[in-house]
Amino acid sequence: GKLDQRGTYLHQIAFGAALYGNGTLITDDYSMSDATVQAAATVCSGGKACTVGAWQVLPFKSPVRSIHATVLYNGNILFVAGSGNDVNAFQAGSFESAVYNPNTGKFQVIPTPDDFFCAGHVQLPNGDVLVVGGNLAYPAAANGTTAAHGYEGLNTSYIFDPVTLKYYKVNNLIVGHWYPSATELGTGDVI
């Protein structure tokens, strides 16, 4: 055993967990560490960059022209591009996303089911990403110029699974949305 703060030996530790309301609590894989031993400090030799951060231009380009980025729970980054605001890609139905792995510096291009260039997104508690709305149509050209209005929004919603690297269609929205906001509430619902 180890002496505690009062000078007595610690023989066991007990802890509890509770639920507020109805539900299920599943717990697993516990570990202990000695709180009396101070963890070694991380050493940074970068000066000011250690305290305020620093930007760096990477020596490669993204394979997609993204409009949204989400840091996934595994440390990878989802870049959502859809058509990349390219009318030709839109008309061809060529929509893409990419997952960037900062540890390897590699991208994996992900087929994307709709034009998410103007979608909204939010990360869910389980690590999935909910993507709602997007670009249903570009404005019609008038007199050789593109109108400043006339974009139409998608009414679809999809879940991106960071494990399978695939989008899965879920329910449709009541109406189409172009650049919607999606915010998770404390209940887990998304508004």
Side-chain angles (χ1 to χ4, degrees):
K2 184 160 180 83
L3 289 173
D4 69 9
Q5 293 174 341
R6 294 183 310 251
T8 58
Y9 282 98
L10 180 64
H11 296 285
Q12 70 180 21
I13 295 176
F15 67 95
L19 290 174
Y20 177 76
N22 295 330
T24 302
L25 175 66
I26 299 171
T27 63
D28 194 6
D29 297 336
Y30 297 99
S31 64
M32 292 184 0
S33 60
D34 187 345
T36 63
V37 177
Q38 191 170 7
T42 303
V43 178
C44 178
S45 59
K48 189 175 179 182
C50 294
T51 58
V52 296
W55 288 99
Q56 176 186 8
V57 176
L58 298 175
F60 50 83
K61 293 186 179 205
S62 169
V64 298
R65 184 176 180 207
S66 62
I67 190 70
H68 307 286
T70 301
V71 177
L72 303 171
Y73 72 88
N74 57 13
N76 292 339
I77 303 166
L78 171 65
F79 291 102
V80 178
S83 67
N85 199 31
D86 179 336
V87 174
N88 294 327
F90 177 80
Q91 290 172 344
S94 177
F95 310 129
E96 296 177 325
S97 300
V99 172
Y100 172 65
N101 182 328
N103 294 318
T104 64
K106 296 190 187 289
F107 285 91
Q108 181 173 347
V109 175
I110 308 296
T112 303
D114 271 328
D115 190 1
F116 295 156
F117 192 75
C118 303
H121 67 281
V122 65
Q123 194 161 33
L124 302 174
N126 68 353
D128 290 348
V129 179
L130 174 65
V131 180
V132 294
N135 195 29
L136 176 66
Y138 281 88
N143 301 326
T145 63
T146 303
H149 55 82
Y151 288 97
E152 295 179 43
L154 290 169
N155 70 342
T156 56
S157 59
Y158 290 84
I159 298 285
F160 178 77
D161 183 336
V163 175
T164 63
L165 301 180
K166 292 182 180 178
Y167 288 98
Y168 299 94
K169 189 163 186 340
V170 289
N171 59 306
N172 284 343
L173 306 171
I174 295 170
V175 296
H177 292 276
W178 195 71
Y179 276 120
S181 295
T183 303
E184 183 187 345
L185 303 175
T187 62
D189 292 341
V190 175
I191 185 171

